[in-house]
Each structure stands twice: as C-alpha cells, then as structure tokens.
Amino acid sequence: MRQAVRVRWGWVRLARMAGLTVTDKTPGLLAQITAQKDGPAPAPRVLTPKIKVKPDRFGVIVRARTLPQVGVEEYQKSARFLADAWRCARVSVLPDGPGRVVIRGVRSDPLTTPTTHRPSGLPPVDLTRWELGIDEYAAKVCVSLANVPGVTVAGVPGAGKTSGVNKFVCDFAPSPSVQIAGADGKVSRTSEGDYADLVKRMFAFCGDDLDEANALFKRLVELRKRRSATIRNVLGVKNMWHFGPSPQ
C-alpha cells in the first residue's frame, strides 16, 4: 500500500520526466472566457495522463489513460524508467482497451515465490481450461485443452513438471468425465514414486517394465480408435469438443 501511495503521489512529476506528457497550446474554455483582448496569450497547458493504482502482494497495477502522442509504445519505452522509480524488479505495459493501458509492476519475482495449491475436491466447472498458476507478473496462466490432441510438459529437474501434473490430476480427478492413466518410468511398483497417492484414481498404471508399458500403450491406442469410430454415432458430430467431455 505504501508503494501504491508513492506511485500515485509522484506520478505527475515522474510522467513529465519520462516524457509521458503532452503540451496543449490551445487555451481551455475558462481561459478563453477570462482572457482579455490586449492581455498576454494564455500559457500552454501540460497534460498528464490520469491513473488508477491498485496494490497487491507482489506490487502494483496501474491503469492509465493515453494522450495524443502518448500511446502504448511510449509507455513501453518508459517501462524501465518506471521500474527504477517505483523500485520494481520489472514492469510490463499492455493495452487495456481503447485509450487505456495497464502497467504491471512487481517488487519481487513471483516465479521464485513458493505457492501452495489446495484442491477444492469439486469437479472443475470448465474441463477445457488447465490453470497452471501465475506468470512472472503474477497473472493467471491457463492452457486451453479444447481441440488439443496432446500437451508436452518439459523442463530441467526441479522446474515443477511433477507438481504441475499432480495439480492437473488433483483438480480434474473429481470429474467423472475425465479418465486418467499413468506410466511412470522412474518406479517399479505403484506404491513408489510421485504418483503413489493418485494411483487409485487411475484406471491404468504401469512402472518401468517395458512389456507392461507396451501393453498399456496398445490398450490406449485401441481405446482411442474405438472412441473415434463411435463419436458420430453417439454424439451426432465428428468432433467431440463440439459438446465437450461427458461421463458417457
């Protein structure tokens, strides 16, 4: 909140120094009415974009207006100056509708801040969205699963691949419209490894035994073929995603 107050109070001066103001040489209505014929011309006005500041646990969200010659590009060019002035690790500028921009400033890296996810135990409302977490600006990141045949989760050890997959299983497990099978090459028995607590929710699971894995993959291929062959007869459409997943 203190950071938000500093941003709001220092905005007019900072905007002038960062080149985010416009000089309007046309007198305002009041100046035109009160101006005298033989008097000096009214001084030009310096216009500063209006802002609204909202703080959160990672930094501030600033919504600002644009002006002639002060658009999204000008805000983006001044992002590094705003980051230094606001004592932020990074600042992003994105359009926020006609004539508006949203400036996101974060004090610390959200990606290095430990987070805790507590599954609700309720079926997800939308089975076409996989909520991964937050990005480097603490904005929610979602992956669309509709019309997607597969998703690859890759990364170096310790990057969070297993945590991401566990979150997916725990969030989607309460839905009767989702089937889950597992193949974990790091274990030999279901009681071992990262998915030992989730095996009961899976209709199939295998470890590092190559014959078992090959049999599982053949089973999944046959299951996919049968589903593809019966989609039109059951649903009346060629693409299952026109209706979305269901227990049937």
Side-chain angles (χ1 to χ4, degrees), residues 7-26:
V7 170
R8 190 180 295 110
W9 286 359
W11 172 246
V12 174
R13 180 182 180 187
L14 177 61
R16 292 181 179 180
M17 292 189 294
L20 298 176
T21 59
V22 175
T23 301
D24 186 1
K25 297 181 180 181
T26 302

Side-chain angles (χ1 to χ4, degrees), residues 1 25-26 93 119 135 170 175 179 198 244:
M1 293 178 64
K25 297 181 180 181
T26 302
V93 179
D135 63 8
C170 292
S175 173
Q179 297 189 47
L198 306 175

Side-chain angles (χ1 to χ4, degrees), residues 79-98:
R80 59 191 182 97
F81 302 117
L82 300 178
D84 293 337
W86 294 345
R87 302 173 186 175
C88 290
R90 65 174 71 92
V91 166
S92 72
V93 179
L94 295 173
D96 191 35

Side-chain angles (χ1 to χ4, degrees), residues 64-229:
R65 294 281 185 176
T66 60
L67 295 173
Q69 298 183 358
V70 180
V72 178
E73 294 184 1
E74 284 68 31
Y75 279 101
Q76 291 175 342
K77 292 179 181 178
S78 301
R80 59 191 182 97
F81 302 117
L82 300 178
D84 293 337
W86 294 345
R87 302 173 186 175
C88 290
R90 65 174 71 92
V91 166
S92 72
V93 179
L94 295 173
D96 191 35
R100 299 190 300 270
V101 298
V102 57
I103 308 171
R104 175 54 161 153
V106 292
R107 294 185 303 274
S108 57
D109 191 349
L111 297 181
T112 62
T113 302
T115 58
T116 301
H117 176 67
R118 184 179 297 275
S120 65
L122 301 175
V125 178
D126 187 358
L127 293 176
T128 66
R129 288 165 55 88
W130 179 9
E131 296 185 0
L132 292 178
I134 58 176
D135 63 8
E136 67 269 29
Y137 293 102
K140 288 186 177 180
V141 178
C142 298
V143 175
S144 176
L145 301 178
N147 294 292
V148 176
V151 176
T152 299
V153 181
V156 298
K161 302 183 297 298
T162 302
S163 296
V165 174
N166 278 330
K167 180 180 183 300
F168 173 86
V169 175
C170 292
D171 287 344
F172 283 79
S175 173
S177 302
V178 177
Q179 297 189 47
I180 304 173
D184 188 357
K186 297 189 296 181
V187 301
S188 299
R189 295 185 297 271
T190 57
S191 60
E192 302 173 346
D194 301 312
Y195 309 106
D197 297 329
L198 306 175
V199 169
K200 291 182 179 180
R201 177 55 179 85
M202 301 181 183
F203 74 90
F205 183 87
C206 71
D208 58 2
D209 186 283
L210 296 183
D211 293 333
E212 291 183 2
N214 191 36
L216 173 58
F217 295 146
K218 286 183 177 180
R219 179 183 176 187
L220 296 178
V221 170
E222 292 300 322
L223 178 61
R224 181 194 61 79
K225 289 181 179 179
R226 292 199 304 271
R227 286 187 173 181
S228 299

